[in-house]
Amino acid sequence: MRIVRFSLEGNVAFGVLERDQIDIIVGHPFGEVERSGRLIPLAQVRLLPPALPSKIVAVGRNYAEHAAELGNEVPAAPLTFFKPSTSVVGPADPVTYPAFSSDVHHEAELAVVIGRLCREVPVERAAEVILGYTCANDLTARDIQRSEGQWARAKGFDSACPLGPWIETELDPADLGIQCTVNGEQRQLGRTADMIRTVPELIAHITEAMTLLPGDVILTGTPAGVGPVNVGDEVAVTIEGIGTLTNKVIKRG
């Protein structure tokens, strides 16, 4: 099932996408999904970020080749950090280049959308708390990341977390192709099978420390090939079984 969040004539709703039509969901998708039977053509709506997370918990250096390309060791435990909810934008939304940086990089990632309130989730039960998966771009002001030593501004600036285009609920995340293109040129190409810690392991590790709420998002790390984006670039993240998330980089006004 593909779950979309969309805007139509000023109203926001969730729906189930089937081919080129959306069946509007009654209420929200966190629980038993109730379809209204009211169909709307996909072409008539504006797709929004498919979730509104209270927090985005991201994982750094979860692909060995990516850690190596930046001169870092693979961490002994998952390296986690937060991106604020204000960093989220949706498919086709602009990414605004932050005025305080001159070296923003793309990072294509598989995003996990949490479906229910949970804490202290064992690895073997992680699937029970997952609503589904979507594409993410963990945009990073690399120069600020290096100079400040902690990552709040480098990874938390407005529009630094594009998500979308929808949530795919029927998906095995163990071995999916993931790629990033900039203006049609391939930059990143990897597979989720190369993640150092799996999705269930990440959920268990994170929920040891904190409660996750419905709609919260976990970013699972990026494969090698990260690189700069500039104003005017079109960045596309494609994940096998999900689709493509595309955003254009603009100058902050």
Side-chain angles (χ1 to χ4, degrees):
M1 183 165 56
R2 283 185 170 171
I3 296 173
V4 295
R5 182 171 162 268
F6 65 92
S7 173
L8 177 65
E9 297 176 351
N11 297 310
V12 175
F14 288 95
V16 176
L17 178 63
E18 293 182 342
R19 298 184 180 88
D20 58 354
Q21 289 192 314
I22 297 170
D23 189 344
I24 297 177
I25 290 173
V26 178
H28 58 73
F30 304 107
E32 195 70 31
V33 173
E34 181 183 351
R35 304 190 190 199
S36 68
R38 181 186 170 198
L39 302 178
I40 297 175
L42 176 61
Q44 291 184 9
V45 310
R46 177 192 169 206
L47 290 181
L48 302 174
L52 284 178
S54 74
K55 54 188 170 293
I56 302 107
V57 187
V59 181
R61 303 170 190 167
N62 198 31
Y63 289 76
E65 289 187 4
H66 168 61
E69 74 178 340
L70 297 182
N72 297 309
E73 298 291 331
V74 172
L79 177 61
T80 56
F81 58 93
F82 292 109
K83 292 171 84 81
S85 59
T86 48
S87 68
V88 173
V89 293
D93 286 342
V95 166
T96 55
Y97 203 107
F100 56 82
S101 174
S102 60
D103 190 23
V104 173
H105 284 203
H106 58 77
E107 294 191 9
E109 307 204 10
L110 175 70
V112 183
V113 182
I114 297 300
R116 51 180 276 196
L117 184 147
C118 60
R119 65 183 177 90
E120 298 179 352
V121 180
V123 168
E124 61 273 14
R125 298 191 62 183
E128 299 175 19
V129 307
I130 298 171
L131 175 63
Y133 304 88
T134 193
C135 304
N137 190 350
D138 176 21
L139 288 157
T140 304
R142 196 71 72 198
D143 49 353
I144 303 303
Q145 184 184 32
R146 288 191 296 264
S147 65
E148 295 187 356
Q150 52 78 38
W151 301 355
R153 293 208 310 155
K155 288 177 172 286
F157 60 87
D158 291 351
S159 75
C161 190
L163 295 174
W166 41 66
I167 299 167
E168 179 62 60
T169 64
E170 303 297 327
L171 193 66
D172 182 349
D175 187 18
L176 303 173
I178 177 171
Q179 68 170 319
C180 178
T181 64
V182 178
N183 302 324
E185 176 188 350
Q186 183 175 289
R187 294 278 190 86
Q188 292 180 268
L189 182 64
R191 300 198 69 83
T192 58
D194 295 326
M195 290 196 299
I196 296 165
R197 279 96 184 180
T198 65
V199 168
E201 289 170 335
L202 294 176
I203 289 174
H205 179 78
I206 291 165
T207 61
E208 261 188 339
M210 70 191 73
T211 298
L212 297 179
L213 305 179
D216 281 352
V217 169
I218 297 173
L219 304 186
T220 59
T222 194
V226 300
V229 296
N230 297 293
V231 172
D233 285 346
E234 185 175 83
V235 186
V237 174
T238 301
I239 299 180
E240 182 181 357
I242 300 175
T244 299
L245 167 68
T246 304
N247 302 90
K248 190 167 184 176
V249 183
I250 66 170
K251 184 177 180 180
R252 178 164 295 187

